[in-house]
mmCIF file of all heavy atoms in Angstrom:
data_model
loop_
_atom_site.group_PDB
_atom_site.id
_atom_site.type_symbol
_atom_site.label_atom_id
_atom_site.label_comp_id
_atom_site.label_asym_id
_atom_site.label_seq_id
_atom_site.Cartn_x
_atom_site.Cartn_y
_atom_site.Cartn_z
ATOM 1 N N ALA A 378 108.335 121.455 105.540
ATOM 2 C CA ALA A 378 107.593 122.331 104.627
ATOM 3 C C ALA A 378 106.750 123.345 105.396
ATOM 4 O O ALA A 378 106.678 124.517 105.022
ATOM 5 C CB ALA A 378 106.718 121.503 103.689
ATOM 6 N N ASP A 379 106.120 122.918 106.495
ATOM 7 C CA ASP A 379 105.293 123.842 107.277
ATOM 8 C C ASP A 379 106.136 124.937 107.919
ATOM 9 O O ASP A 379 105.770 126.116 107.894
ATOM 10 C CB ASP A 379 104.527 123.085 108.373
ATOM 11 C CG ASP A 379 103.408 122.230 107.786
ATOM 12 O OD1 ASP A 379 103.118 122.392 106.575
ATOM 13 O OD2 ASP A 379 102.848 121.389 108.517
ATOM 14 N N ALA A 380 107.276 124.526 108.489
ATOM 15 C CA ALA A 380 108.165 125.512 109.112
ATOM 16 C C ALA A 380 108.650 126.519 108.068
ATOM 17 O O ALA A 380 108.736 127.724 108.320
ATOM 18 C CB ALA A 380 109.355 124.818 109.769
ATOM 19 N N TYR A 381 108.954 125.994 106.882
ATOM 20 C CA TYR A 381 109.455 126.825 105.777
ATOM 21 C C TYR A 381 108.386 127.839 105.345
ATOM 22 O O TYR A 381 108.667 129.019 105.161
ATOM 23 C CB TYR A 381 109.826 125.865 104.649
ATOM 24 C CG TYR A 381 110.417 126.446 103.397
ATOM 25 C CD1 TYR A 381 111.719 126.932 103.365
ATOM 26 C CD2 TYR A 381 109.680 126.453 102.206
ATOM 27 C CE1 TYR A 381 112.272 127.418 102.203
ATOM 28 C CE2 TYR A 381 110.228 126.929 101.027
ATOM 29 C CZ TYR A 381 111.522 127.413 101.032
ATOM 30 O OH TYR A 381 112.063 127.885 99.871
ATOM 31 N N ARG A 382 107.153 127.362 105.232
ATOM 32 C CA ARG A 382 106.073 128.262 104.811
ATOM 33 C C ARG A 382 105.783 129.316 105.874
ATOM 34 O O ARG A 382 105.431 130.450 105.555
ATOM 35 C CB ARG A 382 104.818 127.465 104.484
ATOM 36 C CG ARG A 382 104.342 127.709 103.057
ATOM 37 C CD ARG A 382 102.960 127.184 102.814
ATOM 38 N NE ARG A 382 102.779 125.902 103.447
ATOM 39 C CZ ARG A 382 103.074 124.733 102.862
ATOM 40 N NH1 ARG A 382 103.526 124.711 101.634
ATOM 41 N NH2 ARG A 382 102.902 123.606 103.500
ATOM 42 N N ASN A 383 105.925 128.933 107.140
ATOM 43 C CA ASN A 383 105.718 129.921 108.206
ATOM 44 C C ASN A 383 106.807 130.988 108.227
ATOM 45 O O ASN A 383 106.565 132.125 108.598
ATOM 46 C CB ASN A 383 105.709 129.227 109.574
ATOM 47 C CG ASN A 383 104.395 128.534 109.824
ATOM 48 O OD1 ASN A 383 103.358 128.935 109.272
ATOM 49 N ND2 ASN A 383 104.416 127.487 110.627
ATOM 50 N N ALA A 384 108.013 130.601 107.844
ATOM 51 C CA ALA A 384 109.144 131.521 107.974
ATOM 52 C C ALA A 384 109.278 132.454 106.774
ATOM 53 O O ALA A 384 109.809 133.554 106.903
ATOM 54 C CB ALA A 384 110.434 130.726 108.159
ATOM 55 N N PHE A 385 108.834 132.026 105.598
ATOM 56 C CA PHE A 385 109.119 132.778 104.375
ATOM 57 C C PHE A 385 107.874 132.897 103.496
ATOM 58 O O PHE A 385 106.956 132.095 103.609
ATOM 59 C CB PHE A 385 110.194 132.051 103.540
ATOM 60 C CG PHE A 385 111.451 131.755 104.296
ATOM 61 C CD1 PHE A 385 111.713 130.476 104.784
ATOM 62 C CD2 PHE A 385 112.379 132.756 104.547
ATOM 63 C CE1 PHE A 385 112.871 130.191 105.500
ATOM 64 C CE2 PHE A 385 113.550 132.489 105.258
ATOM 65 C CZ PHE A 385 113.794 131.201 105.735
ATOM 66 N N SER A 386 107.882 133.884 102.606
ATOM 67 C CA SER A 386 107.004 133.824 101.443
ATOM 68 C C SER A 386 107.914 133.712 100.229
ATOM 69 O O SER A 386 109.139 133.827 100.360
ATOM 70 C CB SER A 386 106.073 135.028 101.373
ATOM 71 O OG SER A 386 106.807 136.209 101.521
ATOM 72 N N ALA A 387 107.342 133.457 99.045
ATOM 73 C CA ALA A 387 108.207 133.145 97.908
ATOM 74 C C ALA A 387 107.533 133.497 96.590
ATOM 75 O O ALA A 387 106.312 133.386 96.461
ATOM 76 C CB ALA A 387 108.567 131.659 97.911
ATOM 77 N N ALA A 388 108.345 133.942 95.632
ATOM 78 C CA ALA A 388 107.822 134.196 94.290
ATOM 79 C C ALA A 388 108.916 133.973 93.254
ATOM 80 O O ALA A 388 110.094 134.231 93.522
ATOM 81 C CB ALA A 388 107.292 135.628 94.178
ATOM 82 N N MET A 389 108.500 133.462 92.095
ATOM 83 C CA MET A 389 109.429 133.260 90.982
ATOM 84 C C MET A 389 109.241 134.387 89.968
ATOM 85 O O MET A 389 108.115 134.813 89.701
ATOM 86 C CB MET A 389 109.150 131.902 90.318
ATOM 87 C CG MET A 389 110.158 131.511 89.270
ATOM 88 S SD MET A 389 109.777 132.109 87.620
ATOM 89 C CE MET A 389 108.657 130.816 87.100
ATOM 90 N N VAL A 390 110.341 134.873 89.428
ATOM 91 C CA VAL A 390 110.314 135.965 88.454
ATOM 92 C C VAL A 390 111.142 135.523 87.249
ATOM 93 O O VAL A 390 112.293 135.087 87.400
ATOM 94 C CB VAL A 390 110.892 137.255 89.089
ATOM 95 C CG1 VAL A 390 110.982 138.373 88.073
ATOM 96 C CG2 VAL A 390 110.061 137.684 90.297
ATOM 97 N N THR A 391 110.553 135.615 86.060
ATOM 98 C CA THR A 391 111.268 135.170 84.855
ATOM 99 C C THR A 391 112.263 136.235 84.393
ATOM 100 O O THR A 391 112.196 137.394 84.819
ATOM 101 C CB THR A 391 110.289 134.915 83.692
ATOM 102 O OG1 THR A 391 109.688 136.166 83.336
ATOM 103 C CG2 THR A 391 109.211 133.903 84.077
ATOM 104 N N ASP A 392 113.136 135.848 83.476
ATOM 105 C CA ASP A 392 114.074 136.814 82.888
ATOM 106 C C ASP A 392 113.323 137.976 82.240
ATOM 107 O O ASP A 392 113.713 139.140 82.370
ATOM 108 C CB ASP A 392 114.934 136.136 81.805
ATOM 109 C CG ASP A 392 116.112 135.379 82.408
ATOM 110 O OD1 ASP A 392 116.219 135.331 83.651
ATOM 111 O OD2 ASP A 392 116.914 134.834 81.630
ATOM 112 N N ALA A 393 112.239 137.646 81.516
ATOM 113 C CA ALA A 393 111.495 138.695 80.807
ATOM 114 C C ALA A 393 110.868 139.666 81.803
ATOM 115 O O ALA A 393 110.913 140.894 81.616
ATOM 116 C CB ALA A 393 110.410 138.070 79.920
ATOM 117 N N GLU A 394 110.309 139.134 82.888
ATOM 118 C CA GLU A 394 109.727 140.009 83.919
ATOM 119 C C GLU A 394 110.816 140.852 84.591
ATOM 120 O O GLU A 394 110.619 142.049 84.847
ATOM 121 C CB GLU A 394 108.995 139.164 84.969
ATOM 122 C CG GLU A 394 107.727 138.526 84.435
ATOM 123 C CD GLU A 394 107.160 137.425 85.360
ATOM 124 O OE1 GLU A 394 107.935 136.826 86.150
ATOM 125 O OE2 GLU A 394 105.960 137.169 85.272
ATOM 126 N N GLY A 395 111.958 140.232 84.844
ATOM 127 C CA GLY A 395 113.072 140.960 85.453
ATOM 128 C C GLY A 395 113.530 142.090 84.553
ATOM 129 O O GLY A 395 113.830 143.201 85.009
ATOM 130 N N SER A 396 113.574 141.823 83.268
ATOM 131 C CA SER A 396 114.005 142.821 82.292
ATOM 132 C C SER A 396 113.057 144.021 82.286
ATOM 133 O O SER A 396 113.490 145.175 82.197
ATOM 134 C CB SER A 396 114.063 142.149 80.910
ATOM 135 O OG SER A 396 114.710 142.979 80.004
ATOM 136 N N GLU A 397 111.760 143.737 82.412
ATOM 137 C CA GLU A 397 110.777 144.832 82.490
ATOM 138 C C GLU A 397 111.000 145.685 83.732
ATOM 139 O O GLU A 397 110.869 146.911 83.690
ATOM 140 C CB GLU A 397 109.351 144.264 82.547
ATOM 141 C CG GLU A 397 108.733 144.055 81.181
ATOM 142 C CD GLU A 397 107.368 143.368 81.285
ATOM 143 O OE1 GLU A 397 106.609 143.687 82.234
ATOM 144 O OE2 GLU A 397 107.094 142.511 80.440
ATOM 145 N N VAL A 398 111.324 145.021 84.839
ATOM 146 C CA VAL A 398 111.576 145.743 86.089
ATOM 147 C C VAL A 398 112.781 146.672 85.916
ATOM 148 O O VAL A 398 112.753 147.843 86.326
ATOM 149 C CB VAL A 398 111.820 144.749 87.251
ATOM 150 C CG1 VAL A 398 112.364 145.461 88.474
ATOM 151 C CG2 VAL A 398 110.543 143.998 87.592
ATOM 152 N N ILE A 399 113.841 146.163 85.279
ATOM 153 C CA ILE A 399 115.046 146.979 85.056
ATOM 154 C C ILE A 399 114.700 148.198 84.206
ATOM 155 O O ILE A 399 115.066 149.337 84.537
ATOM 156 C CB ILE A 399 116.149 146.139 84.366
ATOM 157 C CG1 ILE A 399 116.641 145.027 85.305
ATOM 158 C CG2 ILE A 399 117.325 147.032 83.929
ATOM 159 C CD1 ILE A 399 117.556 144.001 84.646
ATOM 160 N N ALA A 400 113.958 147.961 83.128
ATOM 161 C CA ALA A 400 113.596 149.057 82.212
ATOM 162 C C ALA A 400 112.724 150.080 82.930
ATOM 163 O O ALA A 400 112.907 151.298 82.782
ATOM 164 C CB ALA A 400 112.876 148.489 80.988
ATOM 165 N N ASP A 401 111.776 149.596 83.738
ATOM 166 C CA ASP A 401 110.847 150.488 84.429
ATOM 167 C C ASP A 401 111.582 151.399 85.422
ATOM 168 O O ASP A 401 111.370 152.617 85.426
ATOM 169 C CB ASP A 401 109.793 149.640 85.162
ATOM 170 C CG ASP A 401 108.912 150.485 86.049
ATOM 171 O OD1 ASP A 401 108.260 151.405 85.521
ATOM 172 O OD2 ASP A 401 108.899 150.261 87.290
ATOM 173 N N LEU A 402 112.462 150.831 86.251
ATOM 174 C CA LEU A 402 113.174 151.660 87.233
ATOM 175 C C LEU A 402 114.109 152.650 86.544
ATOM 176 O O LEU A 402 114.289 153.786 87.009
ATOM 177 C CB LEU A 402 113.969 150.789 88.209
ATOM 178 C CG LEU A 402 113.186 150.135 89.347
ATOM 179 C CD1 LEU A 402 114.142 149.445 90.316
ATOM 180 C CD2 LEU A 402 112.359 151.159 90.109
ATOM 181 N N ALA A 403 114.713 152.206 85.444
ATOM 182 C CA ALA A 403 115.613 153.103 84.718
ATOM 183 C C ALA A 403 114.822 154.274 84.132
ATOM 184 O O ALA A 403 115.241 155.434 84.235
ATOM 185 C CB ALA A 403 116.342 152.332 83.615
ATOM 186 N N ALA A 404 113.647 153.975 83.550
ATOM 187 C CA ALA A 404 112.868 155.022 82.883
ATOM 188 C C ALA A 404 112.234 155.967 83.910
ATOM 189 O O ALA A 404 112.260 157.186 83.742
ATOM 190 C CB ALA A 404 111.787 154.387 82.005
ATOM 191 N N ARG A 405 111.658 155.415 84.978
ATOM 192 C CA ARG A 405 110.918 156.255 85.934
ATOM 193 C C ARG A 405 111.822 157.016 86.886
ATOM 194 O O ARG A 405 111.580 158.172 87.212
ATOM 195 C CB ARG A 405 109.973 155.383 86.770
ATOM 196 C CG ARG A 405 108.627 155.120 86.103
ATOM 197 C CD ARG A 405 107.610 154.583 87.111
ATOM 198 N NE ARG A 405 108.083 153.393 87.806
ATOM 199 C CZ ARG A 405 108.240 153.322 89.117
ATOM 200 N NH1 ARG A 405 107.961 154.347 89.883
ATOM 201 N NH2 ARG A 405 108.679 152.208 89.689
ATOM 202 N N LEU A 406 112.876 156.337 87.373
ATOM 203 C CA LEU A 406 113.654 156.921 88.474
ATOM 204 C C LEU A 406 115.122 157.122 88.134
ATOM 205 O O LEU A 406 115.884 157.611 88.962
ATOM 206 C CB LEU A 406 113.555 156.016 89.715
ATOM 207 C CG LEU A 406 112.154 155.739 90.246
ATOM 208 C CD1 LEU A 406 112.194 154.648 91.304
ATOM 209 C CD2 LEU A 406 111.563 157.015 90.846
ATOM 210 N N ASN A 407 115.505 156.680 86.931
ATOM 211 C CA ASN A 407 116.926 156.742 86.579
ATOM 212 C C ASN A 407 117.773 155.926 87.553
ATOM 213 O O ASN A 407 118.910 156.284 87.868
ATOM 214 C CB ASN A 407 117.394 158.202 86.522
ATOM 215 C CG ASN A 407 118.615 158.360 85.650
ATOM 216 O OD1 ASN A 407 118.890 157.495 84.806
ATOM 217 N ND2 ASN A 407 119.365 159.421 85.865
ATOM 218 N N VAL A 408 117.201 154.845 88.057
ATOM 219 C CA VAL A 408 117.922 153.930 88.946
ATOM 220 C C VAL A 408 118.220 152.653 88.172
ATOM 221 O O VAL A 408 117.310 152.024 87.629
ATOM 222 C CB VAL A 408 117.084 153.589 90.205
ATOM 223 C CG1 VAL A 408 117.734 152.463 91.005
ATOM 224 C CG2 VAL A 408 116.891 154.821 91.080
#
Side-chain angles (χ1 to χ4, degrees):
D379 288 349
Y381 182 73
R382 238 193 319 272
N383 283 334
F385 306 102
S386 50
M389 187 272 276
V390 175
T391 65
D392 278 3
E394 290 167 335
S396 191
E397 271 175 38
V398 168
I399 294 170
D401 172 59
L402 281 187
R405 275 195 305 120
L406 302 170
N407 203 20
V408 170

